[in-house]
Every structure is written in C-alpha cells, then in structure tokens.
Amino acid sequence: MNERTVTPIVQPILEAHGLELDSLDVIPAGKRKVLRITVDGDGPKGRGPLLDDIASATRDISDALDEAPEIGNQPFTLEVSSRGVGKPLTEAKHFRRNRDRLVQASLVDGSVLRARIQSADEAHVVLVEEPEPGKKLPADLDPRHELGYDEITKATIQVEMNRKHDPDLDDLGDESEDEDDDFTEEN
C-alpha cells in the first residue's frame, strides 16, 4: 500500500461527498500502516466541510479499501480529518473558507499582521488588522490591507477562546474551533 495505489480509490469517494483531498500519507507503523487522509471542501455554506460529511466519507473509504484488491489483507489504520486550524492557509479557497476568522499573516516585506479575513477572491485577500488584546492600533493606521497571495509568506488561523457568534458556523452545530476533526478506524 502506498500513496499511488490509494489515491485513485479515495479521490472519487471524496468527490462524491463534496470533499477535496488535501493530503494523503501512508506511514509504516510496525506490522501495519497508518493511512492518514486530510480533507477540505466548501461545505453547505462555503465555510468548510461538516463533521457529518467527513464521517460519512470515512465509512465509504473504509469499505472501499476493504474491498480493494490493491490493498489485499494488509492491516492498516485509517485516519481521516479536516485541515484543522494548525495548517497554514496556502490557497485562495483556504482564505475564502475562513472568512471572518482571525489570522496571523507573515508578509514578504518581513512584517506580520494580526488581522481578520474580510473577503477573499482568486487574486486577493482583504485583511483588517486587529490589535493585540488590551492594545489599540495607531489612529493614523489604515487597518484594511488588500493583498495578493504572493505578498503573504505564511498565514495561520489564530484560535479565539471568546470568538464572536458566527451564525454560518454555529447554527450548523460545527465544532469549528477544534484543532481538527479526527476519525480513526482499525482494519
């Protein structure tokens, strides 16, 4: 079992569930292997996949792998998770799916922004700078920054313990502040 043999099995299942393959790794773990799949997607409101979507896809992936002759009787552990907040935002869709979230963005000029994603399209992201807790931004500073993705070297979501209510996410029952949503199944 390796990435080349597993990807063609997994890819169509994820697509059928409205999910995208973000990464797929086959990791040796003693006599078995760990198949670690990270998924992404728009979800019902364009803000990322829901836990139920990932769970359903995980069951179908597990069934398909159990039946695949390429896998045979090789023992493996299947782990399927969302991107989580720890992975850097690297594509326009990542910024779009995290609209209104707080990010730390390192820019090519060496500066670092602590800002909220206001909007994102295929060419630009609009970040609105926010001060550190207990501090204020200078009055003469324009907090709005429209940046091309090539101006950002790294951007990561910042976990907010007292995040404001977001009806697009909170009303769906999504656990969006979790590090990631993991499902593990032994085969």
Side-chain angles (χ1 to χ4, degrees):
M1 175 188 327
N2 60 44
E3 289 85 355
R4 274 191 337 265
T5 59
V6 175
T7 300
I9 298 168
V10 170
Q11 192 79 40
I13 295 168
L14 292 176
E15 289 172 5
H17 286 274
L19 299 170
E20 301 165 2
L21 180 61
D22 189 67
S23 67
L24 185 148
D25 298 301
V26 178
I27 304 156
K31 293 182 180 183
R32 60 188 321 113
K33 294 193 177 181
V34 175
L35 174 55
R36 190 167 291 146
I37 301 171
T38 305
V39 300
D40 201 2
D42 281 333
K45 295 195 177 190
R47 301 295 299 273
L50 298 179
L51 196 59
D52 289 343
D53 299 333
I54 297 171
S56 180
T58 301
R59 285 188 294 276
D60 290 349
I61 290 168
S62 178
D63 292 345
L65 291 171
D66 288 343
E67 296 172 12
E70 301 89 345
I71 306 305
N73 292 327
Q74 298 176 51
F76 66 93
T77 300
L78 174 63
E79 297 177 1
V80 180
S81 66
S82 66
R83 285 180 47 82
V85 296
K87 281 199 168 184
L89 308 177
T90 58
E91 299 179 45
K93 64 186 176 184
H94 299 153
F95 286 89
R96 179 179 44 81
R97 290 173 181 155
N98 284 286
R99 188 181 71 252
D100 296 326
R101 300 290 298 268
L102 188 64
V103 297
Q104 180 169 312
S106 299
L107 307 182
V108 294
D109 68 5
S111 63
V112 177
L113 288 177
R114 182 179 186 274
R116 198 160 299 278
I117 301 171
Q118 184 177 60
S119 63
D121 60 26
E122 290 306 310
H124 299 91
V125 60
V126 176
L127 301 176
V128 178
E129 196 167 355
E130 289 195 3
E132 292 290 332
K135 296 184 178 181
K136 292 185 177 188
L137 292 175
D140 61 340
L141 177 75
D142 181 4
R144 190 175 184 280
H145 302 269
E146 184 172 335
L147 302 166
Y149 297 110
D150 60 346
E151 296 177 74
I152 302 170
T153 58
K154 184 176 182 181
T156 53
I157 298 294
Q158 302 300 290
V159 176
E160 296 178 88
M161 294 304 182
N162 295 313
R163 180 178 58 87
K164 67 179 182 172
H165 174 75
D166 183 342
D168 281 349
L169 295 177
D170 299 336
D171 294 345
L172 292 171
D174 185 27
E175 303 296 326
S176 62
E177 289 296 331
D178 289 349
E179 178 72 20
D180 56 19
D181 301 320
D182 290 336
F183 296 94
T184 303
E185 187 166 314
E186 297 283 332
N187 287 312

